[in-house]
Amino acid sequence: MNLHLAKCTNTDLDKLISISRETFIEAFEKQNTPDDFKAYMEKAFSREQLLNELEDPQMHFYLVHLEDEPIGYFKLNENEAQGDVKDKDSIELERIYVKSAFQGNKIGHFILDHIKRIATNKNKSYIWLGVWKKNNKAIRFYENNGFIRFGEHPYYIGSDKQMDWLMKLNLITLEK
């Protein structure tokens, strides 16, 4: 598979909107009420919201391509752009998605290897993330890749309060 990453710029906004919406719908639409899901989608993946995030120097989006087709993406946050943890030694993996047609091909491992490299090159000690506690497939993936649970926080889809597990991967121990 000829996979490669490209850091997003403002010129990638339409691709980012498209893949963000498509992958989030694939992953979560069936588990949420239509009104709450619609409200979340309109806010989180609006042109204005994603453009603001793209222009924030502490937020980094990357598209994952197979040949020339975007098949996934991820978003990293640093410093004050991070959610619960605002540690200069950490980086938050806020989003990591692969189109459902391409799942099961180790693309998540490919992405995670690059995220580890990016974090290490930025001298980060650990990567952390929030994952919906009912998303067993994702939790298994993270656990199989060395992430451990260290807390939880609420996450809202519209007005529906859900619970995310906070997980982290210690990059220092990986180097030994």
Side-chain angles (χ1 to χ4, degrees), residues 1-5 64-67 71 105-107 110:
M1 236 184 250
N2 186 12
L3 294 171
H4 65 284
L5 301 176
V64 181
H65 294 89
L66 175 61
E67 305 298 335
I71 61 164
N105 294 304
K106 304 283 185 198
I107 295 168
F110 170 83

Side-chain angles (χ1 to χ4, degrees), residues 31-65:
Q31 295 91 357
N32 290 279
T33 62
D35 289 343
D36 283 326
F37 193 77
K38 181 180 181 205
Y40 180 84
M41 292 290 294
E42 288 174 355
K43 180 181 179 197
F45 303 121
S46 72
R47 175 172 289 280
E48 180 182 4
Q49 180 65 35
L50 287 176
L51 181 59
N52 286 339
E53 292 177 13
L54 269 174
E55 291 177 340
D56 186 324
Q58 298 180 82
M59 296 181 174
H60 314 283
F61 287 92
Y62 292 81
L63 289 173
V64 181
H65 294 89

Side-chain angles (χ1 to χ4, degrees), residues 3-45:
L3 294 171
H4 65 284
L5 301 176
K7 188 167 183 187
C8 293
T9 66
N10 292 4
T11 61
D12 298 307
L13 181 60
D14 289 331
K15 287 180 194 174
L16 183 61
I17 292 169
S18 177
I19 198 158
S20 296
R21 290 178 179 169
E22 179 181 348
T23 55
F24 199 80
I25 288 168
E26 288 175 343
F28 300 114
E29 182 177 37
K30 291 177 182 155
Q31 295 91 357
N32 290 279
T33 62
D35 289 343
D36 283 326
F37 193 77
K38 181 180 181 205
Y40 180 84
M41 292 290 294
E42 288 174 355
K43 180 181 179 197
F45 303 121

Side-chain angles (χ1 to χ4, degrees), residues 141-166:
F141 171 78
Y142 295 128
E143 288 175 339
N144 289 339
N145 283 282
F147 283 80
I148 57 168
R149 183 176 167 201
F150 71 94
E152 59 184 37
H153 72 177
Y155 190 85
Y156 288 86
I157 300 292
S159 62
D160 182 20
K161 180 181 177 182
Q162 301 178 0
M163 197 57 66
D164 276 3
W165 284 359
L166 300 178

Side-chain angles (χ1 to χ4, degrees), residues 104-162:
N105 294 304
K106 304 283 185 198
I107 295 168
H109 294 281
F110 170 83
I111 295 170
L112 195 52
D113 285 344
H114 282 277
I115 292 168
K116 289 178 198 173
R117 197 169 306 123
I118 290 166
T120 301
N121 288 341
K122 290 178 172 283
N123 296 314
K124 303 300 181 184
S125 299
Y126 61 98
I127 301 166
W128 73 273
L129 56 87
V131 59
W132 188 28
K133 74 176 189 176
K134 294 182 180 180
N135 191 343
N136 295 326
K137 182 179 174 184
I139 291 168
R140 247 186 340 273
F141 171 78
Y142 295 128
E143 288 175 339
N144 289 339
N145 283 282
F147 283 80
I148 57 168
R149 183 176 167 201
F150 71 94
E152 59 184 37
H153 72 177
Y155 190 85
Y156 288 86
I157 300 292
S159 62
D160 182 20
K161 180 181 177 182
Q162 301 178 0

